[in-house]
Amino acid sequence: MKRPMAYITAAWGKNEFENTELAVKYCRKIYEAGFTPMCPLLFLPLYLNDEIPQEHKDGVDMARDMLRRSHVLVVCGDVVDENVKNDIAIAERLHITATTLEGILTVKGQGRDKNNG
C-alpha cells in the first residue's frame, strides 16, 4: 500500500539532541498513522553545513521541494514560529492540506473500536 507523504514542521529549539528526539517521535506517530514522514531536520544536517551560506540556501530549497511533493503538511508541537508560518503559507499557496499532529491522530483514531485499540 502506498503511503502519502507528510511533511513535518515544528518550531525547533536550540538543542539539536532534543530536536532530533522530538522529530523521531513525531515521525513515528505519523508513520503509525499511515503516512511516509518527511522531516528534513533529521537528515539534512548530516551532510549540509548550515554555517556555509550556499549550503544553508540549498537546505532550504531541498526542504521546500520535499514540502511541494508532500500530500499534507503536519504542524507538530505547541509553538508556531516564523519557519512554521512560512511552511504553512507555502502549503496554502500550493493547495497542500495543513493540519496538526493532533488532527492526524484524532482522525486516525476515529475508526477504532474503543475496546480494541
Side-chain angles (χ1 to χ4, degrees):
M1 178 171 108
K2 184 180 177 205
R3 293 170 169 268
M5 288 189 351
Y7 185 94
I8 297 169
T9 189
W12 306 113
K14 300 276 186 221
N15 186 316
E16 68 178 285
F17 300 107
E18 287 177 10
N19 291 341
T20 299
E21 192 175 298
L22 271 174
V24 168
K25 187 169 75 170
Y26 296 150
C27 285
R28 181 66 195 190
K29 288 181 179 186
I30 294 297
Y31 165 76
E32 288 172 351
F35 293 86
T36 299
M38 299 298 299
C39 187
L41 176 92
L42 286 178
F43 60 90
L44 290 182
L46 294 174
Y47 58 86
L48 292 179
N49 182 345
D50 207 43
E51 301 297 315
I52 299 172
Q54 183 60 50
E55 292 192 19
H56 172 80
K57 181 190 177 310
D58 290 343
V60 170
D61 291 345
M62 285 185 241
R64 294 295 176 247
D65 190 47
M66 284 179 243
L67 175 54
R68 278 186 206 94
R69 295 167 186 254
S70 296
H71 291 83
V72 64
L73 169 70
V74 183
V75 178
C76 299
D78 297 327
V79 178
V80 175
D81 66 3
E82 286 304 311
N83 291 324
V84 174
K85 288 179 185 177
N86 288 337
D87 287 340
I88 293 168
I90 290 167
E92 186 176 281
R93 192 168 56 241
L94 297 171
H95 306 289
I96 296 169
T97 300
T99 188
T100 61
L101 178 59
E102 292 77 18
I104 292 276
L105 298 178
T106 299
V107 170
K108 177 68 176 168
Q110 292 302 311
R112 296 203 173 149
D113 181 344
K114 290 185 184 355
N115 296 324
N116 293 331

